[in-house]
Amino acid sequence: MNLRRDVFQAIADPTRRAILLLVASQSMTAGAIAANFDTARPTVSKHLQILTECELLKKEQQGREIRFYLNPQGLKTVAEFIEPFRKMWDDRFNKLEDVMKNHKLKN
């Protein structure tokens, strides 16, 4: 059975999250990415394949090199999932702040 990879599977792995952070600032080749990890290059290549399949990374041929770069649109699924939780915590912290201000005024 061939399961479709999704963004959440991709970001579940700490190495893949580290790769995303690396390429967030600049595009990089697979070799340059692999040089940042203490693992075999084929292992990093597999991570790059997963991130590309999930559309978190895009790759572009530049001459003989293939450069990987972040696809911010791919992170949209994660952002949309997290947004309700962010709003919930913002509301809770705002309420806590109000309680703390009222408590301070009473003292």
Side-chain angles (χ1 to χ4, degrees):
M1 175 169 41
N2 185 12
L3 296 176
R4 182 183 168 271
R5 296 188 200 275
D6 69 11
V7 173
F8 298 102
Q9 287 176 320
I11 64 171
D13 186 275
T15 301
R16 291 193 284 270
R17 290 192 305 268
I19 291 170
L20 290 172
L21 289 171
L22 277 173
V23 299
S25 60
Q26 65 180 6
S27 66
M28 300 174 78
T29 64
I33 294 168
N36 289 278
F37 298 95
D38 191 27
T39 58
R41 189 169 172 164
T43 302
V44 173
S45 292
K46 183 65 176 174
H47 287 302
L48 292 172
Q49 178 186 357
I50 291 168
L51 291 168
T52 303
E53 287 174 3
C54 296
E55 297 181 351
L56 291 172
L57 290 182
K58 291 197 175 198
K59 58 184 179 178
E60 185 177 285
Q61 183 89 30
Q62 294 181 348
R64 296 182 331 159
E65 294 182 333
I66 296 175
R67 299 191 68 81
F68 292 88
Y69 60 96
L70 185 68
N71 177 18
Q73 191 64 28
L75 292 170
K76 187 176 180 183
T77 303
V78 177
E80 289 171 349
F81 177 78
I82 292 172
E83 183 61 21
F85 298 102
R86 187 191 64 75
K87 286 181 180 177
M88 176 189 68
W89 283 107
D90 280 349
D91 290 345
R92 287 182 180 186
F93 283 122
N94 289 337
K95 288 177 184 175
L96 178 60
E97 184 177 24
D98 291 343
V99 168
M100 298 298 288
K101 284 179 183 176
N102 289 334
H103 180 71
K104 188 176 181 179
L105 291 173
K106 289 179 182 179
N107 289 332

